[in-house]
Amino acid sequence: MIINTRPVEYDFEMFRAFDRSGHQMLACPVLTSCPLPWPKKAIDNIDALIVTSRIAVDVIARKPVSRDLPILAVGTATASAARNANFSDVVDGGGTAEKLLKVIDATPFRAGLYASAHDVSLDLARVRPNRIRRVSIYQMEAAEYLPQSVIDTFRTDEEIIVPFYSPRSFQIFESLLVKHHLGEHLARAIAVGIHERVLNKQTLRWGQTRIAAAPDGIGMVEAMRKAA
């Protein structure tokens, strides 16, 4: 059983990766996106957009933003979302924020807008303050409860794989396990992190923990398949 903790916007990607694999999947988003007010002058004097999530692209696509602006995306999936939103000049940043920074440094724009979530692991504008400014265009709100189907699954003897893409999602999920008194039901559960820092603040005793060999979507899918 795979319990998908990602926001609903990523459900299709996960279900497609494990289609016909024989693994049942339960949707269990621990974070839900909520758009924030769009600043009136957000794109004044901007000649490039920078995004590190598909959700950011979805929010931007609903705003009066020129599709001719170059958009630098963190990885393949986000770049694909930008192309689907009819942006004509899309750059794939390579899969991680660190690689995206190298692409930013090599791209000739004057002033970039980093359109992001309210909470980010790496603030690109702080790293490159002379070329980038950040505007929070959405925030991720934490779930307060686990779905009953997930609670019931943890109370069985079934093997469970749970992927985590951020430290925050892992911490929220562990807190929900405690809230539902499920901490003692983790012997057959495997936590898979996209990066080692995701699981650094582990508080519960999981049956196993694994880290993706590469910190991207492909690396996570491969790590989950090996765990299965």
Side-chain angles (χ1 to χ4, degrees):
M1 175 70 71
I2 296 172
I3 295 177
N4 183 21
T5 61
R6 300 199 82 186
V8 294
E9 289 88 350
Y10 298 93
D11 272 354
F12 176 75
E13 177 181 314
M14 186 69 72
F15 278 87
R16 182 179 60 182
F18 288 91
D19 185 33
R20 301 177 184 175
S21 68
H23 292 91
Q24 186 179 355
M25 189 172 300
L26 291 177
C28 181
V30 296
L31 290 165
T32 301
S33 63
C34 178
L36 294 173
W38 181 264
K40 291 183 179 179
K41 298 183 179 181
I43 59 173
D44 284 5
N45 302 314
I46 292 297
D47 60 347
L49 295 170
I50 301 165
V51 290
T52 53
S53 75
R54 185 182 308 171
I55 297 172
V57 175
D58 292 343
V59 175
I60 291 172
R62 295 193 291 268
K63 304 300 179 181
V65 176
S66 171
R67 298 305 194 267
D68 293 329
L69 271 176
I71 184 166
L72 287 72
V74 69
T76 302
T78 307
S80 178
R83 294 187 187 96
N84 289 339
N86 296 319
F87 282 93
S88 58
D89 186 357
V90 180
V91 179
D92 185 334
T96 68
E98 290 78 8
K99 290 180 180 179
L100 177 58
L101 273 173
K102 294 180 180 180
V103 172
I104 288 170
D105 290 341
T107 303
F109 65 85
R110 179 183 52 78
L113 177 69
Y114 176 25
S116 74
H118 182 269
D119 300 297
V120 294
S121 299
L122 177 63
D123 187 344
L124 302 176
R126 286 192 176 186
V127 181
R128 299 290 186 271
N130 293 330
R131 298 185 70 207
I132 302 172
R133 67 181 178 90
R134 182 164 82 97
V135 172
S136 301
I137 61 173
Y138 69 97
Q139 64 184 7
M140 302 302 293
E141 298 182 348
E144 296 184 0
Y145 301 96
L146 292 174
Q148 188 61 47
S149 58
V150 172
I151 295 172
D152 292 342
T153 298
F154 270 101
R155 288 174 174 162
T156 69
D157 292 330
E158 189 166 2
E159 292 187 351
I160 298 170
I161 299 171
V162 191
F164 297 101
Y165 290 76
S166 71
R168 187 183 177 201
S169 64
F170 180 63
Q171 291 162 27
I172 292 169
F173 193 80
E174 282 207 327
S175 71
L176 293 175
L177 290 174
V178 172
K179 183 174 186 175
H180 292 287
H181 309 289
L182 296 172
E184 66 272 22
H185 295 280
L186 293 176
R188 293 180 176 270
I190 305 172
V192 181
I194 194 169
H195 191 281
E196 60 183 7
R197 66 173 174 264
V198 169
L199 309 183
N200 272 350
K201 294 185 178 180
Q202 177 181 341
T203 61
L204 300 177
R205 182 171 294 182
W206 291 74
Q208 296 182 49
T209 59
R210 293 175 178 264
I211 304 299
D216 53 27
I218 294 174
M220 278 295 281
V221 170
E222 182 63 24
M224 291 168 66
R225 286 176 175 163
K226 288 181 178 179

